[in-house]
Structure formats: structure tokens, C-alpha cells
Amino acid sequence: MHDPSLSRREWLAAAGLTLAGPTFAPMPSAEPSSRRATEPPSRPAAEPSGFDPWLEIDSAALAHNASTVSRLAGGRPILAMVKNNAYGLGLATAGPLFDRLAPIGGFGVVRPSEAVVLREAGVAKPIVLMGPASDQEAELLVRQSTRLTLSAPSDADQMIRLARRLGRAIPVHLYADTGMHRMGLAYDQILTRLDSPLRQAIRIEGAMTELVEDEPFDREQSARLAALAETARRGGIELGRLHAASSDAILRPNPATFLDLVRPGLALYGGYPTPESRARGELRPAYRLKARVIRLDHLAAGEGVSYHHRYRAEQPTWIATLAIGHVDGYPAGAVKGGTVLVGDRLYPVIGTISASHTLIALGPEPRVAVGDVATLVGPDRPELHPNEVAARSGWSEYNMFMHLSPSLHRTVVS
Ligand SMILES: *Cc1c(COP(=O)(O)O)cnc(C)c1O
């Protein structure tokens, strides 16, 4: 049951949210044991031998981004947002990689299934579910040490039922709506919900809000959350660790929003939430989207390619077909100025990006061979940076990550 005498320090220990975090045995490497850390990341042995496209996850980039975010946030622990399949990188791949990083204190998800996948992948640090769960899901999650959030009026009844069933208090975070009006309970009413049956049923570990990402109003929202915690404290209720800041607030930076924990998503994966934040240039994109050349062709001047012949060769040119398309998460809009790296050269995307195929123009020489590896998105050239591909193709930065197909094969390099 909730013990109001629990000190902050004891709470920290109970929550496992210390800066260093618990220590874990290293995860088994997804790569061949002969791999040496000094080898370049994209050597052929790490690549799948087939013709299907794949996603290369860069574990060193994830570690670099976590350290960078931690430094920007003044060393506060990071609650890593891994919703939407870890922003497309793959929950079962990215989760364990984050779990062993010291700056990462825990995880945030929005769907119950995401918490279950993280536990199945061996993730041991605390997980906070920031969305609804059925009674059945909630019980499974609490048994797996995932924290629920009190976010809607009906959550209180669910928590009371669950605490009775399990015979113990449920660790939770409060989700306060301080002006976003999307999720959570109104900050000026949330304390009135904490009646005595609910307070008996829960152990409050933290309280969160979601910022609208407007600098002055974000400060106001953070002040509202802090004032809420102060009012609660005067009433004998500790709200634990306060958290609000997403990548946007961390990169601005807007330190008034940092509170006790920060809660970034995009920045951890190496993306910048806005063109302005990109000027910081300190993050590394943590994935490469790769595909193979599967066909070469030669066009005479005036010949068109693909649907509606949207591209016509002005001069004779070689072209190559890549086995990747928009279903894999490559934006169809990349025909408007996108480029692809094969070998050490960038080639323009032409024609129409279809479900499973992308065409590139090679120029007067064939230059590439069937089976060659193409990199469509990644850190290797400024033109391939996810933010740059987003800008050229008319997509949001977030889509460059979140629309990566879950069915892409994933490899890990360090
Ligand atoms: C997605 C999400 C974040 C992280 O947002 P980014 O802009 O990717 O950093 C933080 N908090 C909540 C509640 C979220 O849903």
C-alpha cells in the first residue's frame, strides 16, 4: 500500500530510475562473433545475402545520442520513448540496446503490446505505459513490472480492481493535461480524483504532462505540473518524479521543462524534430535503409521510364532498379530531388517510386552491378540524412522513422 513516508531516495531505488540504472549482462550480439569493433559498419558479411531490402541499426549511434541527450538535459535520467516499434527501428532490436545504456532509466510506450514485446526481448528497466489498457492487459503489465498511468476517470476504477486482485498497491504515474488537451486528466482537477480508495490502491512514482512544443507555453505547462506536485505535497501526497520534455524541448534547449526526467523519442534515434533544431548537428541517425540493385537498363534519348513515363531521358543514360519501394518506408516523394548512394557516388532517383521498386539514373556509364548495395537513408552523406530526405520528399521527419516497415529484416552494427 502507498506509504507516504517513503523518501524520495527510497522511491528512486524502488523505481529503479537511478542515473546509472541497474547493471545487466551484455545482450548476445546479433552479429557474427568474428566481428571486430574496428571494422567499418557496412562490410558485406553483416549484410543479408538475399535481394530483399533491410534496415541496419547502428548501436554506437544510439549510445552516442543517449549520451548527447543526457548531457543536454543536465544528466537527468532518460525515459526512452519507444512507441511505434521504437520509431520504426524495431522494438525487439532497439529495446535491448537502450536497456544496457547508463543514461537510459526506463522506457515509455503507448500500447500494451509494446510493453510485452520489450519484456520478451529481455528489457529489464522500468516501462511506463502512457495509454489505455483493458483489465486483462493491465494485470499482465503490472505482473511484468510495467507502470500504468492514471490518465482517464475510468483508470481509477481499474487500478482499484487490480490492486484488490493482486493484493498490493499498483505503481503508477499520473498523466496531467496542462493544456495539450489530448491525453490525461485536467491538472487542476487531478488531485480531487485521488480519493482514499484510489490512494490505497496505487503507489505514485511519477507525474507527467505533454508539452505543446511552443517554448513559452511549454514553460507554463511545466510550471503547472510543478505547482500540482507542490499542492499535492502540502496535502501529504508525493507525486514522485516529474517529466514533460520531449526531443523538441531538450534540443531548444528549454531547461525549465526538464524537471526530474526527460522523455525523448526522435532525438535518441538521431532525428531532429524541427529544421531549427537540426542546426545543433550533434545527433547521429541510428539507421541505414539499404537495398540491392536488381536490374540495369539503358535508355536512349527521349525514352521514358515507369508509370506515366514521368521521367524521360534527355540524353542516353544507364539506369538501375533497386529492390525497395514506398511499402518499405522510403517516401514516394523522394523522386523530387532524392539521391541514393551506391559505392561512393550519389545517384538521382527518377520516375516513380512504386510499392517495391525505385529507379536511379547512373549516367553514360553503367557503373554499378546487379547485387550492389544501395543506401537510401543514413548518416553517410548529408543528402541521405533522414531530415534531408524528409525535406526533399515533403515528408515529416517523424515519418522517416515511424513508417519504416516492421517487416524489413534488421541487422545491428556498432
Ligand atoms: C512520443 C512521445 C514523446 C517523445 O516525443 P519526441 O518528439 O519523439 O521526442 C514524449 N512523450 C509522449 C507522451 C509521447 O507520446
Side-chain angles (χ1 to χ4, degrees):
M1 293 293 121
H2 177 66
D3 175 3
S5 69
L6 194 70
S7 73
R8 196 162 180 84
R9 190 192 190 87
E10 287 163 331
W11 178 83
L12 283 179
L17 287 171
T18 54
L19 179 59
T23 51
F24 302 101
M27 296 297 295
S29 170
E31 295 147 53
S33 54
S34 61
R35 174 95 201 272
R36 294 192 316 270
T38 50
E39 286 174 298
S42 52
R43 90 217 143 86
E47 294 164 349
S49 56
F51 283 98
D52 291 350
W54 72 99
L55 197 63
E56 195 178 271
I57 307 303
D58 189 333
S59 63
L62 292 176
H64 166 84
N65 296 335
S67 300
T68 303
V69 165
S70 171
R71 182 171 46 73
L72 290 171
R76 286 167 183 80
I78 297 168
L79 203 56
M81 291 306 294
V82 291
K83 66 192 181 198
N84 302 338
N85 201 26
Y87 284 56
L89 270 68
L91 204 45
T93 306
L97 295 173
F98 279 138
D99 202 37
R100 54 188 178 182
L101 299 178
I104 307 290
F107 295 87
V109 298
V110 296
R111 296 193 179 154
S113 60
E114 296 167 334
V116 173
V117 170
L118 282 177
R119 288 289 181 238
E120 281 171 357
V123 161
K125 287 181 182 173
I127 302 170
V128 183
L129 172 70
M130 298 170 189
S134 70
D135 279 9
Q136 222 179 357
E137 289 166 336
E139 180 171 344
L140 172 69
L141 296 185
V142 171
R143 287 188 189 281
Q144 293 186 344
S145 186
T146 289
R147 280 65 168 162
L148 306 178
T149 45
L150 181 73
S151 177
S154 60
D155 293 341
D157 297 334
Q158 181 179 67
M159 286 165 183
I160 291 168
R161 281 196 300 276
L162 194 52
R164 283 204 189 113
R165 220 175 133 78
L166 298 179
R168 60 185 166 93
I170 312 292
V172 303
H173 289 231
L174 304 187
Y175 200 146
D177 176 7
T178 55
M180 177 86 158
H181 296 288
R182 187 169 73 175
M183 289 290 285
L185 291 162
Y187 73 102
D188 50 359
Q189 290 163 28
I190 198 165
L191 292 181
T192 65
R193 309 247 173 213
L194 298 178
D195 57 10
S196 128
L198 180 59
R199 281 170 61 187
Q200 295 287 307
I202 62 178
R203 181 162 51 83
I204 302 170
E205 285 191 346
M208 62 177 286
T209 195
E210 207 175 6
L211 304 175
V212 302
E213 305 189 347
D214 166 80
E215 201 165 339
F217 193 68
D218 287 357
R219 272 195 287 276
E220 171 63 21
Q221 287 184 277
S222 304
R224 287 175 183 176
L225 186 64
L228 170 69
E230 189 48 43
T231 307
R233 182 171 301 130
R234 283 201 301 269
I237 304 171
E238 291 293 329
L239 296 193
R241 297 199 132 186
L242 307 181
H243 48 107
S246 60
S247 302
D248 179 82
I250 296 163
L251 290 166
R252 276 179 195 273
N254 191 357
T257 68
F258 292 172
L259 304 172
D260 300 318
L261 291 174
V262 291
R263 219 175 53 222
L266 194 67
L268 293 176
Y269 308 97
Y272 294 96
T274 57
E276 305 79 66
S277 58
R278 211 175 144 191
R280 299 194 67 100
E282 294 170 72
L283 304 170
R284 287 193 213 147
Y287 76 89
R288 290 179 181 83
L289 183 60
K290 293 190 161 190
R292 288 192 193 272
V293 174
I294 54 168
R295 184 177 182 274
L296 293 176
D297 201 350
H298 186 264
L299 300 180
E303 274 191 297
V305 301
S306 195
Y307 298 118
H308 314 299
H309 278 179
R310 280 208 184 97
Y311 171 87
R312 265 179 209 284
E314 284 173 14
Q315 295 150 22
T317 184
W318 285 89
I319 62 167
T321 305
L322 308 177
I324 187 167
H326 59 75
V327 295
D328 301 298
Y330 190 58
V335 285
K336 297 175 280 186
T339 54
V340 169
L341 184 68
V342 188
D344 58 359
R345 276 173 174 265
L346 289 167
Y347 299 101
V349 177
I350 58 166
T352 304
I353 295 171
S354 52
S356 316
H357 298 113
T358 296
L359 298 169
I360 54 175
L362 305 172
E365 303 295 330
R367 291 188 189 280
V368 310
V370 168
D372 280 2
V373 175
T375 304
L376 294 94
V377 186
D380 309 289
R381 298 291 173 93
E383 293 87 345
L384 303 181
H385 191 287
N387 280 84
E388 182 61 28
V389 178
R392 291 180 184 210
S393 60
W395 254 17
S396 87
E397 313 54 30
Y398 285 84
N399 284 358
M400 288 302 303
F401 291 80
M402 298 213 188
H403 286 208
L404 292 166
S405 170
S407 63
L408 284 168
H409 178 71
R410 277 145 173 93
T411 63
V412 179
V413 297
S414 55

